[in-house]
Amino acid sequence: MEFYKYNKKPLGGGALEWNYVQKPSSYAKISHVLNKGSKKYLYFQRKISGVKVTHLNNGKYRYRLTINNLHSPYQYIGKSYDMVASFYTVGGTKYFEAPARANNSGD
C-alpha cells in the first residue's frame, strides 16, 4: 500500500487521465486482508504515515487499516459519456472512487 501526500500537483487530468509522477511519501507491504461485510481490513508490519491506522498488540500483524464501502454509488452524466463511482472511507477519511466509464470505450 502506498500513500501519496498532496502537493498541489493533480494526479489526474480533467478527463480522468491519471498521471503517476509523484513518489509515495510512505508505503508498506500488505501481509493479510480480511473482508467483513462492507469493510475490508488491511494488515501490515510498518506504519504508514499520513493514514490513520490502528496499532495492534500482535506480533504477526502490527497495524490495521480499515476501508469501508459506504454503499452510496453516484452517476455522472456528461454530454458524451456516463460514469459510475462510489464513496469510501479509508482510515476514517472519506474518499471517492475514480469513475469508470459505463460505455466501455477503452479509456
Side-chain angles (χ1 to χ4, degrees), residues 50-62:
V51 180
K52 183 180 175 186
V53 295
T54 303
H55 183 266
L56 305 172
N57 291 326
N58 185 345
K60 192 172 182 182
Y61 309 121
R62 298 194 51 178

Side-chain angles (χ1 to χ4, degrees), residues 34-41 67-68:
L34 179 64
N35 292 313
K36 282 190 172 182
S38 65
K39 293 185 180 182
K40 182 174 285 203
Y41 300 98
I67 300 173
N68 186 14

Side-chain angles (χ1 to χ4, degrees), residues 23-89:
K23 291 185 178 182
S25 56
S26 61
Y27 61 91
K29 182 178 179 182
I30 298 170
S31 305
H32 181 68
V33 177
L34 179 64
N35 292 313
K36 282 190 172 182
S38 65
K39 293 185 180 182
K40 182 174 285 203
Y41 300 98
L42 307 177
Y43 295 89
F44 37 88
Q45 290 290 325
R46 292 176 42 172
K47 184 175 181 180
I48 301 172
S49 63
V51 180
K52 183 180 175 186
V53 295
T54 303
H55 183 266
L56 305 172
N57 291 326
N58 185 345
K60 192 172 182 182
Y61 309 121
R62 298 194 51 178
Y63 296 95
R64 177 179 68 202
L65 175 67
T66 304
I67 300 173
N68 186 14
N69 185 346
L70 298 177
H71 294 293
S72 55
Y74 67 93
Q75 183 174 10
Y76 177 79
I77 300 172
K79 290 182 180 178
S80 62
Y81 52 86
D82 295 345
M83 296 184 292
V84 179
S86 189
F87 291 98
Y88 294 85
T89 61

Side-chain angles (χ1 to χ4, degrees), residues 9-21:
K9 277 190 173 181
L11 289 178
L16 298 174
E17 292 121 6
W18 298 99
N19 304 315
Y20 295 101
V21 294

